Amino acid sequence: MSATLEKGVRVLKEVIDAPIASYFNSCVHCGLCAEACLFYTETGDPKYTPIHKLEPLRRVYEQEYTWLGRLAKAVGLAKPVTDAELHEWQELVYNSCTLCGRCSVVCPVGNDIVYMVRKLREGMSASGNAPDGIKGAANRTVTIGSPMGVKLPAVKAQMKHVEEDYGIPIPLDAEGAEYMVMLSSMEIINFPEYLGAIAKIMRQAGKTWTLCSTAFEATNAGMQIGNSDLARVIVSRIVDGAERLKVKCVISPECGHAYTALRWEGANLIGRPFTFQVKHIIEVLGEFQEQGLLKTEGMETDRLTFHDPCQLARRGGVIQQQRRLMKQIAADFVEMPDAGFMNWCCGGGGGASAIEEGEELRLEAFKKKKSQLEAVKPDRLVTACANCRIVLEEGLEHYQMDIPVIGLTETIAEHIPDSVDKEGA
Amino acid sequence: MNELQFLTWVRGPGLDAAVAIFLLGTVWRLIEIYGLGRKKDLAAPRLTPGASGWHTIVRRSVPPEGMFKQSPVTYVGGYVFHIGLAAIVFLFAPHIKLVEGLVGLSWPGLPSQIVDLVSVVTLAAMVVVLVDRIKRPVKRFLSGFEDWFTWAVTFLPVLTGWLAVQHLLLPYTTMLALHILSVEVLLVTLPFTKLFHAFTVFGSRWYNGTVNGHKGVPV
């Protein structure tokens, strides 16, 4: 057994807990999880059946934690996990799984399959079997500060641009602000309108907010790759920043996995509860809307639909807010089939969009989104995750569908009237 | 060994051994599985009505939105043979008598003609799900020895029981003895194969519901 394999198997042994044991013992091979997975439905290849993606983890469980499995191992009847097998499984655990969690909500015996994929990734990463694309993103986040290599000067340059364009000051390191706003690299580089939108929305709501010079990047490729040590380093930066600035609430940007990393995994990664709240920007907007702090003018009149980011909706529990927000600004808001809780992934979540060699499969899986869109024929597609947005744009371009993709936050900000804007200033 | 001796054995030492292995095996397996425990979730919970382990135990008995049409055979076949098995095992008068003799508990059963009908329907449903397992690429791909074996050890007690009651194929005594033997094989097999989902299904649904319920997602 190679040293890396040994390390991987040791990590797998560490992550196996009672839920995983219960899940493996419950599976009856009914195959329904396949029907919930867009990588199976769009390719028809049974190897993409979600429970099958866990085969190495299942065998480690059986051989290490069951009496019969240990007996089989002792007499040489058990098939050990090998380097070659883990290498082969990379495609199944990363390229063809976006951690969308649809399988976990359909399994009739109740297996939380995505919970297990997340744990298997720990062993894959420890044994050196994570894809280079996500590895690179994780390493850049740890060493440079962001997966796309964005540093503070780039953020400052964008702050300056936004201040000039909107005439609103962007606070940096303002101690005691109510909200600390996080960004994703994608927003810094590709979608600068997000920061301007936040400035307008916060000014109208009369809330104090700040960016943080030591923690502006919210995405966490450490979590996607399945390396809790790296994920912890990345989350700790945000925790340190939030505690240093004594903010009440950290706002996760329009990015699904950033939200999961910070909201649900963060406290577990650092080993203690947070001293501040974590909310996705859509949750915050939903609260402003409820409190009457979000006043908009005019409506979008073209046909709009909303793509639910998996980590926000099914995996994060934010489902109704985006719909109420859409209704405030869209006169012709239509829902795709399966929208909301059961929405289909864009195909690029969970780090999959960073895997170059997975592109062909990703585009194949995109046919699911294509059929959802064809059912409602929207003029534009709204979402709330910068990664979904990029993946959707790529897919739409590939299939020559002329549907612009926009972010919900900036679309709302466009409807905040200047007059109210000025009153608030 | 003649048929009477065979029947005496399966009713006596055979049954005792099978029940003992079943009970001890079940307790051992439950400890082996749930003794692993899990870490406390330190993220601040979000409370949502309907999002809990207990809700999921119940809710997951019904196909989630859009799933039924993906595989109606799995759902209908699954419901029919599970409900059928439960009805046959717990509502057939001779079975209730057996339990009464062992532990003194008794409850009303179904008329035997109804149990006959239920048995035939259950056998048919099991054949249908078997054919589906052979024909459907995903199920066939996932299936190994254990899947075919556990199907057989579940099917045989129903088949032999029905044949015994109908006095078909073999003399009643022999068929009854075979029926009891097949039940013993099922009892011995259950804790150590996927049939153990009969117990862990509740734990699995509960964990899934609890882990996601912590996030305020009713799954």
Side-chain angles (χ1 to χ4, degrees):
Chain A
M1 190 189 268
S2 72
T4 48
L5 177 63
E6 207 172 318
K7 200 174 160 208
V9 171
R10 195 179 64 234
V11 168
L12 289 181
K13 277 168 72 176
E14 280 165 18
V15 299
I16 290 168
D17 56 7
I20 292 182
S22 185
Y23 298 152
F24 280 136
N25 277 286
S26 299
C27 179
V28 292
H29 289 165
C30 73
L32 285 170
C33 52
E35 307 294 340
C37 176
L38 77 171
F39 290 97
Y40 169 73
T41 61
E42 302 316 299
T43 63
D45 190 335
K47 75 173 176 179
Y48 296 126
T49 303
I51 196 72
H52 175 66
K53 296 171 184 170
L54 296 160
E55 190 53 20
L57 181 67
R58 188 191 68 76
R59 292 222 309 283
V60 169
Y61 161 68
E62 210 173 78
Q63 291 163 20
E64 302 293 338
Y65 292 106
T66 71
W67 183 78
L68 272 181
R70 278 198 297 261
L71 185 73
K73 192 182 163 193
V75 299
L77 283 174
K79 187 177 154 208
V81 172
T82 62
D83 274 311
E85 184 185 10
L86 290 185
H87 183 72
E88 188 194 332
W89 244 255
Q90 183 185 98
E91 195 218 350
L92 300 181
V93 181
Y94 293 96
N95 307 23
S96 68
C97 178
T98 60
L99 304 179
C100 86
R102 266 185 129 256
C103 49
S104 289
V105 304
V106 307
C107 173
V109 293
N111 289 351
D112 194 345
I113 298 170
V114 67
Y115 175 94
M116 297 196 274
V117 174
R118 169 69 185 83
K119 303 265 186 177
L120 174 52
R121 284 189 180 189
E122 292 282 337
M124 293 293 284
S125 164
S127 61
N129 284 296
D132 293 334
I134 323 182
K135 255 192 253 179
N139 290 337
R140 279 191 297 279
T141 314
V142 170
T143 54
I144 303 174
S146 99
M148 294 168 83
V150 174
K151 294 183 187 174
L152 185 63
V155 179
K156 282 188 167 161
Q158 203 193 85
M159 287 167 62
K160 208 173 140 210
H161 279 299
V162 172
E163 284 177 342
E164 280 166 9
D165 289 354
Y166 291 79
I168 310 172
I170 308 291
L172 182 69
D173 291 333
E175 221 182 279
E178 185 168 353
Y179 296 104
M180 179 169 120
V181 171
M182 306 294 304
L183 302 167
S184 68
S185 288
M186 208 75 96
E187 280 151 348
I188 301 167
I189 293 176
N190 292 329
F191 309 124
E193 55 275 26
Y194 177 76
L195 189 57
I198 293 287
K200 276 181 91 175
I201 290 162
M202 288 294 179
R203 184 168 73 168
Q204 191 199 45
K207 299 287 186 182
T208 55
W209 67 287
T210 185
L211 292 180
C212 174
S213 59
T214 54
F216 50 84
E217 172 67 54
T219 57
N220 194 325
M223 182 192 74
Q224 296 175 327
I225 198 176
N227 185 325
S228 284
D229 293 330
L230 293 184
R232 187 177 305 116
V233 171
I234 299 167
V235 157
S236 297
R237 252 179 227 158
I238 301 169
V239 175
D240 293 346
E243 291 183 346
R244 178 170 60 84
L245 297 177
K246 302 182 184 70
V247 297
K248 284 201 194 92
C249 177
V250 171
I251 302 181
S252 167
E254 288 199 351
C255 171
H257 278 84
Y259 181 58
T260 290
L262 200 53
R263 177 67 178 91
W264 306 116
E265 290 212 9
N268 296 305
L269 286 166
I270 66 163
R272 66 173 169 89
F274 286 168
T275 52
F276 50 88
Q277 293 180 306
V278 175
K279 286 176 187 157
H280 190 276
I281 181 64
I282 298 304
E283 280 182 285
V284 175
L285 293 179
E287 285 174 10
F288 288 178
Q289 185 187 40
E290 236 171 60
Q291 294 157 7
L293 299 174
L294 188 69
K295 295 179 212 83
T296 54
E297 223 174 53
M299 301 287 260
E300 300 290 331
T301 50
D302 55 348
R303 199 171 168 87
L304 300 184
T305 191
F306 188 84
H307 163 78
D308 287 278
C310 306
Q311 302 300 317
L312 179 66
R314 181 166 48 250
R315 305 285 300 147
V318 180
I319 297 173
Q320 294 313 320
Q321 289 91 323
Q322 52 269 46
R323 304 198 142 65
R324 287 196 285 266
L325 290 163
M326 283 296 291
K327 282 173 192 154
Q328 180 168 338
I329 50 130
D332 189 10
F333 169 47
V334 288
E335 292 274 24
M336 287 181 272
D338 297 326
F341 180 66
M342 288 302 279
N343 190 39
W344 293 89
C345 181
C346 63
S353 62
I355 306 169
E356 221 173 296
E357 60 274 25
E359 195 187 345
E360 202 182 322
L361 181 63
R362 205 154 58 236
L363 288 168
E364 193 67 17
F366 191 79
K367 283 185 190 155
K368 185 52 95 174
K369 188 54 58 186
K370 185 169 170 268
S371 76
Q372 272 187 295
L373 287 166
E374 280 165 355
V376 292
K377 297 189 173 52
D379 294 313
R380 285 181 298 161
L381 173 57
V382 188
T383 191
C385 169
N387 186 61
C388 291
R389 197 165 158 182
I390 292 284
V391 174
L392 291 165
E393 281 174 352
E394 283 170 3
L396 289 166
E397 196 190 316
H398 178 80
Y399 289 102
Q400 294 167 347
M401 296 168 80
D402 186 22
I403 305 173
V405 188
I406 52 176
L408 179 54
T409 307
E410 82 232 17
T411 309
I412 285 175
E414 279 166 18
H415 287 272
I416 293 180
D418 283 339
S419 55
V420 179
D421 231 19
K422 276 164 198 150
E423 274 168 34
Chain B
M1 192 189 272
N2 64 28
E3 357 180 298
L4 251 173
Q5 285 170 316
F6 178 32
L7 183 62
T8 311
W9 186 86
V10 293
R11 274 184 158 167
L15 188 62
D16 290 346
V19 170
I21 293 171
F22 171 73
L23 290 177
L24 291 173
T26 298
V27 171
W28 170 248
R29 293 284 288 127
L30 288 174
I31 292 170
E32 190 177 79
I33 293 163
Y34 296 102
L36 288 173
R38 69 184 179 115
K39 283 191 187 145
K40 188 173 184 271
D41 193 341
L42 298 169
R46 176 195 285 138
L47 299 173
T48 304
S52 79
W54 302 109
H55 281 94
T56 300
I57 287 181
V58 179
R59 193 181 293 125
R60 208 49 79 86
S61 303
V62 180
E65 187 192 327
M67 282 305 289
F68 181 82
K69 63 175 186 291
Q70 301 302 326
S71 188
V73 173
T74 307
Y75 282 108
V76 175
Y79 277 127
V80 170
F81 95 77
H82 278 93
I83 294 168
L85 284 177
I88 296 162
V89 172
F90 297 112
L91 298 176
F92 185 45
H95 294 164
I96 300 171
K97 280 239 159 58
L98 177 76
V99 174
E100 194 180 3
L102 286 170
V103 294
L105 277 173
S106 175
W107 57 88
L110 287 172
S112 68
Q113 299 95 315
I114 303 276
V115 178
D116 272 351
L117 180 69
V118 170
S119 301
V120 173
V121 172
T122 302
L123 290 170
M126 285 197 72
V127 170
V128 169
V129 295
L130 179 70
V131 171
D132 197 45
R133 185 170 286 289
I134 294 165
K135 287 183 73 178
R136 221 170 230 272
V138 167
K139 283 187 183 174
R140 195 173 56 224
F141 175 76
L142 293 175
S143 299
F145 171 76
E146 190 179 323
D147 296 278
W148 311 115
F149 177 72
T150 50
W151 181 89
V153 299
T154 310
F155 186 78
L156 285 175
V158 187
L159 180 70
T160 52
W162 181 77
L163 289 173
V165 172
Q166 303 296 321
H167 294 261
L168 289 171
L169 216 63
L170 289 172
Y172 177 73
T173 316
T174 313
M175 195 52 95
L176 181 65
L178 283 175
H179 172 60
I180 298 173
L181 182 69
S182 68
V183 172
E184 286 162 8
V185 172
L186 176 64
L187 284 174
V188 169
T189 311
L190 193 143
F192 308 103
T193 59
K194 73 170 189 177
L195 296 177
F196 203 54
H197 77 275
F199 290 94
T200 55
V201 65
F202 302 104
S204 296
R205 287 181 182 180
W206 188 85
Y207 277 133
N208 192 342
T210 301
V211 168
N212 288 290
H214 192 86
K215 305 199 248 183
V217 188
V219 292

